[in-house]
Each structure stands twice: as C-alpha cells, then as structure tokens.
Amino acid sequence: MQYHKLYIAMLASMLNFISATPPLSDIAQKKLLMPPPPNVSSEAYILIDSATSTVIAEKKPDKKMKPASLTKLLTTYVIFSALSQGHVAADDEVRVSTNAWKIEGSRMFLGENTKVDLQTLLKGTIITSANDASIALSEHYAGSEQNFALIMNRVAKSFGMNHSSFITATGLDNDQHFSTARDIATLSQHIINDFPEYFHWFSEESITYANITQNNRNQLIQSHPEVDGLKTGYTDSAGYCLASTAKKGNTRLILVTLNAPSVQNRNRDTMALLNYGFRFYDTELVYPANTAVTNTKVYKGILSETNLKTHKPYWITIPKGSKDHISIDIIEKTVIAPVSTESPIGFITSSLDGTTISEAPLYAENDIQEHQGIKRYIDCVKLFFQP
C-alpha cells in the first residue's frame, strides 16, 4: 500500500511538472552560460514549446489578470467541441438577439434579429474579435451567456486552468473575470492539438460580412509568415494582450503576453521572445509513438515480463548545442499483475547536467492477467523479500 501511495505521488508530481519546474532559460543560463530572455514591456508572459509543454521563459506567469479578448479562445474552443460532438453544426442559422446586437466594442455589425450561419460567426470571433458574434454563439449553444460561462469554466477546470474565472464570452472587463499567462498558454495548446481542422482560421487575414471587410487583428499574421495564430485582446484595464504561436522546423512555440502598453510594444515583445526561443532552443524527437523503450519483470502475471512503451511521441526541448549535456533515464515501478496498457508503469526522464527538464509516462505493451497457478504464490514470496 505504501508503495502505491508513493507511486501515485510520483504520478501527480509528473502531471504538475511544468508548473513546478524553473523555466528552461533559467536552467540553461546556470548550466550552459546561455543569454537570458529579452526584457519586455508586457507585465506578464510565458513562452512554451507546444509539443513538449516545456516552459522556455516566463515573467509573472501565474499572476491573475484581465485577459480581454483572449477569452474568445475559450469561447471558440467550447464551440469547436460542440461541433465535434454534433451538438451544433457549421451551417446552423443563428439568431442575433438584441443583447448580441447592442454589445459594445469590436463587432461584425450583425443586424438585430437577423440570422447568420454559425461558421461565419466563429470566423468573425476569431479573425476580427467580434463581440456580437461571441454573444450570438454563446446564446445559440447554451441559451444564455451566463449558461455558456458555466461550460467555459468546466472546460478550463478540466485543463488545469486553476487560476482562471470566466464570466463572459467576450472578455469585456469584469472584476470576477480573470486568467493568467500560463492558463491561456495551456488553452492555446489545446486548441492547436485538439482541433487542427479549425486551427487554420486563426491565420486567415480578413473576413467580409455585410460588405464590410475587417483585417485579422493580429498584425503579425501578415508581417511574419511563421506566425499563424492565435488571438489579440485589449481593454483599457487589461492593456494590450496577445496569445501567439509560430512554427519553424520541428519547433512550434506558444507565447502569451499580457498588459503591454501599446500595440507596437505588444508586437515587439512578441517577436523578441519568439526569436529568442527559435534562436536558442530546439525540439528533438527522442522516441516515436509506441516505441518499446525497455522491458521489465511482471510479478503474478501470466506473462513474466513486458516491454515499456511510449504512447505518444516523446519530444524534448533543449538548448541548442546541448545534446552532450542531456541524459535520458528510465524510472520503473514494481509491476504486479493485472496490468493495463492504459495505466503508466514507468517514466522516461530527460536531464540537463543533472537537472530534470522533461518527463513522460511509459506503458505496458500488453494487457496482462493475473496468474492463477503456483507462479502467483512464488512471486508473492519474491515480493516479500524485496527491499
């Protein structure tokens, strides 16, 4: 029993690994004398590798702040989920309520009591940050914006966004509506990974509705081809915010900056940090998905051993030129049948000169049933004398 408690604690530690580990830039500065990230004007930011979740650099990543229209990332995620589950359809005719029509801020200029297809509203929310479209979508799916906010918070909780609270679908200022750079980065990562079929909408340069063409509010989409998302935000209280993502080679970075003093500062901060990430860090594939990494003994099972495999590709983010400083280790638990291929029975860890920078679970290659013969009792004796 004590062993299993210890292993559960190890698993919990792994799941919280990113939030508990210093950013890679801090480790690289100490171990490899690499330069620090640039100083920026944004009050808070976080830069992560999308494939590995490794935090490369950060500044006040867990400070609760107003996210402005970065909120619409969660609004769109909820609708993406509803589309995938068949609860709504892209060609649904959505009625524009008076509440949606009269909302303040950025808009598509929807007509009161008109009907607009859901896909157009989604693209308007993403591309031109339309508040009227966001309200219309929330009311169409959940009956009211208040009901929609309940769903938003459930999704956020399921992602581990524990420092966030969402009251509106738009992100207009509310004292009870807040998030953090880290939580928004987590949400951005889920959009990229969970809904690649919709992700390309974030890089579309403009949208035309009612003979009005509005450009993507993320100006970096047009000026920097490696940037292909995600979302801008601004209110007087929140300042200028941006959740951005860019890809070069194997490396996709996600950067969230909050409360920059101007659009120009926000864009300069974003490109300075993205360039820092691409210049000094690489994403390396260690093991493809379903690779047998090692094997281990199985006690009380109809099989005496099993391979330990990755389920997903195991990528690591490392400082450039540091391969000789990286070590890969396997941590195994004592494996006792029955064994499921869906339950972790080990870990793979990567370290930079002795400091752990990445961990991932390993799984049994086979489901293994408990042996009912004498082998089971022999293994019980062996386990009794184990240290």
Side-chain angles (χ1 to χ4, degrees):
M1 180 63 70
Q2 285 297 112
Y3 176 80
H4 288 292
K5 286 182 179 178
L6 174 63
Y7 192 71
I8 290 169
M10 289 173 60
L11 182 58
S13 173
M14 186 195 75
L15 293 174
N16 292 311
F17 179 76
I18 294 303
S19 61
T21 304
L24 189 56
S25 60
D26 286 1
I27 299 170
Q29 288 174 69
K30 293 176 183 177
K31 302 289 186 181
L32 304 173
L33 302 179
M34 291 188 70
N39 290 322
V40 296
S41 61
S42 296
E43 183 179 354
Y45 75 80
I46 191 167
L47 176 65
I48 72 170
D49 186 301
S50 179
T52 66
S53 301
T54 298
V55 177
I56 295 173
E58 64 184 19
K59 173 186 174 184
K60 301 180 182 177
D62 297 310
K63 181 176 181 179
K64 294 177 181 179
M65 302 173 67
K66 293 178 179 178
S69 285
L70 300 192
T71 298
K72 296 185 178 84
L73 291 172
L74 187 50
T75 300
T76 56
Y77 189 95
V78 171
I79 299 300
F80 290 163
S81 297
L83 282 167
S84 69
Q85 295 166 16
H87 297 157
V88 297
D91 59 359
D92 279 358
E93 290 294 306
V94 178
R95 189 183 73 84
V96 179
S97 69
T98 301
N99 185 43
W101 167 72
K102 70 180 183 181
I103 193 71
E104 61 183 302
S106 53
R107 292 180 293 162
M108 287 179 67
F109 304 100
L110 303 173
E112 184 179 14
N113 291 320
T114 58
K115 289 186 177 181
V116 185
D117 68 273
L118 182 141
Q119 179 169 309
T120 297
L121 294 175
L122 254 180
K123 294 175 74 171
T125 300
I126 291 167
I127 297 167
T128 195
S129 198
N131 289 336
D132 49 2
S134 301
I135 298 293
L137 287 170
S138 70
E139 292 176 340
H140 178 69
Y141 179 49
S144 70
E145 187 179 15
Q146 292 75 20
N147 287 345
F148 191 81
L150 294 175
I151 301 170
M152 294 171 73
N153 284 298
R154 288 173 192 155
V155 172
K157 188 72 173 177
S158 73
F159 292 165
M161 296 168 60
N162 296 323
H163 296 92
S164 296
S165 172
F166 297 93
I167 303 299
T168 73
T170 60
L172 291 172
D173 288 337
N174 183 300
D175 288 342
Q176 299 304 311
H177 188 103
F178 53 81
S179 190
T180 68
R182 192 187 307 275
D183 282 359
I184 296 296
T186 296
L187 173 59
S188 301
Q189 189 178 29
H190 274 282
I191 288 174
I192 293 166
N193 294 337
D194 297 351
F195 295 109
E197 66 270 34
Y198 304 127
F199 174 65
H200 64 93
W201 288 343
F202 290 92
S203 62
E204 292 194 13
E205 294 188 2
S206 65
I207 184 171
T208 300
Y209 178 78
N211 296 318
I212 301 171
T213 298
Q214 299 188 67
N215 291 331
N216 194 315
R217 290 177 180 265
N218 184 358
Q219 299 168 352
L220 300 178
I221 297 291
Q222 289 86 8
S223 58
H224 294 79
E226 70 274 19
V227 178
D228 53 1
L230 296 157
K231 186 77 191 67
T232 62
Y234 171 78
T235 66
D236 288 341
S237 297
Y240 292 88
C241 308
L242 179 59
S244 57
T245 182
K247 186 174 183 182
K248 287 186 178 180
N250 287 333
T251 303
R252 174 176 287 284
L253 300 179
I254 294 172
L255 171 65
V256 178
T257 55
L258 300 178
N259 195 20
S262 70
V263 172
Q264 293 76 20
N265 284 95
R266 179 180 70 188
N267 290 348
R268 281 195 295 268
D269 290 355
T270 296
M271 292 315 304
L273 288 164
L274 288 174
N275 287 335
Y276 172 80
F278 286 126
R279 181 175 295 120
F280 293 109
Y281 298 90
D282 277 330
T283 309
E284 299 282 346
L285 180 63
V286 180
Y287 293 110
N290 299 311
T291 298
V293 174
T294 186
N295 63 1
T296 190
K297 182 174 178 58
V298 178
Y299 291 93
K300 301 185 185 179
I302 59 174
L303 297 178
S304 296
E305 63 179 33
T306 185
N307 288 329
L308 295 184
K309 298 179 63 176
T310 59
H311 273 185
K312 299 178 181 179
Y314 180 52
W315 296 85
I316 59 173
T317 304
I318 61 172
K320 287 188 177 179
S322 68
K323 283 186 178 180
D324 293 342
H325 299 261
I326 303 296
S327 60
I328 308 294
D329 297 297
I330 306 299
I331 299 172
E332 304 174 34
K333 65 174 264 190
T334 301
V335 181
I336 302 172
V339 176
S340 167
T341 58
E342 299 304 314
S343 298
I345 58 172
F347 303 100
I348 182 170
T349 70
S350 301
S351 302
L352 172 60
D353 281 347
T355 300
T356 301
I357 60 172
S358 177
E359 293 183 343
L362 293 172
Y363 301 85
E365 186 173 36
N366 312 100
D367 289 324
I368 302 174
Q369 296 177 347
E370 188 175 14
H371 199 287
Q372 298 302 316
I374 192 171
K375 178 181 181 299
R376 179 173 179 273
Y377 298 99
I378 294 173
D379 284 350
C380 285
V381 174
K382 290 180 179 178
L383 286 167
F384 181 80
F385 288 103
Q386 270 200 348

